[in-house]
Amino acid sequence: MSPLDIQSACTLNDGNRIPYLGLGVYASSTCTKACLTSFDEGYRHIDTAELYGNEAEVGVITFIQLPALLLDNCLPRSSIFVTSKVWDNKHTRQETLKAVSESLNCMQLEQIDLYLIHNPRSGPTGRHQAWLGLQDALREKKVKSIGVSNFTPAHIQNLMKSDGVTVKPAVNQIEFHPWNQQKTIVEYCKKEGIAMQAYSPLARGQRLGENSVISEVAKKHGKTPAQVLLRWILQHGVIAIPKSEDPGRIRENAAIYDFQLDDEDLSEIAKLDAGQDGNVGDWNPWEHE
């Protein structure tokens, strides 16, 4: 991978580009403030979802009120990458397409950069129908790219064999951090040209202060444990979307481009993998057929 900075982006298999660092806004009580702070720190990528209940805040504050809020430093819509997702209670072709339209209306956007199936829980038929709906949204130019979340290789392989499926997912968003490295999924998606995106990249902070390996690497580079984790993710070619509402943490999470983990660091961190036993979220992709 070439040298990175906060403007670095990954080219997706459809030719579109997504910034490697984004702001997650799941359960964000101060979504507006967090988005504006992130833009001030150089972020250009916001990850939301229908389920999060803050699409309107992301859209209205980001793209309508932004010029008035930032005055001479306003950002054009084309410079901001927005991801949203359809929940599993809308996995029919018609309902998924309708969900995309509802997200567009909610965010008052003409087009969403990336739209994902939020999880695979609806089963083969539901996943197939939802994907057909996303293909329709792509064809109608309601979205630029489409992808999935929490999908295993089998989920993707079965989807691609289904009737009417002509578009490969551009992105697979999964929990990914040193304690759950999802090697099988990551290796498969990289082989297939599907970009990987990490949610809960900081393991929700549950292990940051207690792990001696991460602490030693952080001390070695004069960085925080959180910065080490995010740098580790980027050096694996994976997109990271850490959530934070604290301006200091948002700033800290962006300060990861002036150092690089060496082979020794990467080797030691690789030993932390506990597979699904290292999961900090509610999703185990392998539990859903």
Side-chain angles (χ1 to χ4, degrees):
M1 178 180 285
S2 59
L4 296 169
D5 60 41
I6 200 165
Q7 302 300 323
S8 295
C10 170
T11 301
L12 301 176
N13 58 23
D14 57 11
N16 295 319
R17 287 173 63 77
I18 179 173
Y20 273 108
L21 182 67
L23 179 74
V25 295
Y26 170 70
S28 177
S29 60
T30 59
C31 181
T32 300
K33 181 180 177 181
C35 287
L36 292 175
T37 299
S38 75
F39 294 149
D40 193 47
E41 295 301 325
Y43 294 67
R44 296 294 183 265
H45 176 186
I46 304 295
D47 182 275
T48 185
E50 173 197 358
L51 180 70
Y52 301 170
N54 53 25
E55 285 180 316
E57 286 186 78
V58 169
V60 172
I61 298 301
T62 304
F63 307 120
I64 296 177
Q65 295 183 22
L66 183 62
L69 289 168
L70 297 187
L71 300 176
D72 294 334
N73 193 32
C74 60
L75 300 171
R77 165 66 182 99
S78 60
S79 72
I80 308 295
F81 193 100
V82 180
T83 299
S84 196
K85 313 172 191 76
V86 60
W87 191 239
D88 57 10
N89 62 346
K90 297 183 177 179
H91 283 191
T92 69
R93 186 171 187 168
Q94 295 75 18
E95 283 295 313
T96 295
L97 182 59
K98 181 180 177 182
V100 174
S101 296
E102 289 172 346
S103 291
L104 283 168
N105 290 335
C106 194
M107 292 192 278
Q108 301 187 49
L109 298 179
E110 295 182 357
Q111 194 175 44
I112 298 169
D113 297 285
L114 175 64
Y115 212 89
L116 308 179
I117 297 177
H118 206 144
N119 68 72
R121 188 165 56 186
S122 62
T125 300
R127 295 191 291 267
H128 177 214
Q129 289 298 306
W131 193 250
L132 293 178
L134 289 189
Q135 288 189 161
D136 291 340
L138 189 66
R139 192 175 304 112
E140 295 176 16
K141 300 188 184 302
K142 296 178 185 290
V143 299
K144 289 183 179 180
S145 299
I146 56 177
V148 296
S149 181
N150 297 300
F151 274 44
T152 67
H155 292 148
I156 296 171
Q157 289 168 344
N158 291 336
L159 180 65
M160 294 309 298
K161 295 175 184 177
S162 302
D163 290 344
V165 172
T166 58
V167 179
K168 181 184 289 188
V171 169
N172 188 11
Q173 186 181 117
I174 59 173
E175 180 175 330
F176 179 76
H177 48 70
W179 296 277
N180 188 359
Q181 298 179 25
Q182 306 270 22
K183 292 177 181 177
T184 300
I185 299 177
V186 171
E187 289 172 5
Y188 170 81
C189 286
K190 287 190 174 182
K191 178 182 176 183
E192 293 297 316
I194 300 170
M196 295 303 306
Q197 190 173 46
Y199 69 77
S200 298
L202 303 180
R204 299 187 179 178
Q206 293 180 17
R207 297 177 173 89
L208 286 183
E210 65 188 41
N211 187 271
S212 60
V213 172
I214 300 299
S215 295
E216 286 300 315
V217 173
K219 182 178 179 181
K220 171 181 172 180
H221 292 281
K223 289 293 182 177
T224 67
Q227 290 169 329
V228 168
L229 262 61
L230 292 175
R231 184 71 203 189
W232 178 84
I233 288 168
L234 296 191
Q235 286 187 215
H236 279 77
V238 175
I239 301 152
I241 47 170
K243 176 204 169 182
S244 181
E245 299 175 289
D246 179 84
R249 291 289 178 84
I250 292 172
R251 188 174 305 112
E252 174 187 325
N253 291 343
I256 55 174
Y257 300 100
D258 58 352
F259 79 109
Q260 184 165 325
L261 301 176
D262 58 32
D263 290 343
E264 181 183 4
D265 300 329
L266 297 173
S267 177
E268 289 302 307
I269 294 173
K271 298 174 185 177
L272 299 177
D273 191 17
Q276 292 303 317
D277 289 337
N279 219 27
V280 298
D282 300 327
W283 282 102
N284 179 346
W286 304 94
E287 290 180 349
H288 303 279
E289 297 296 331

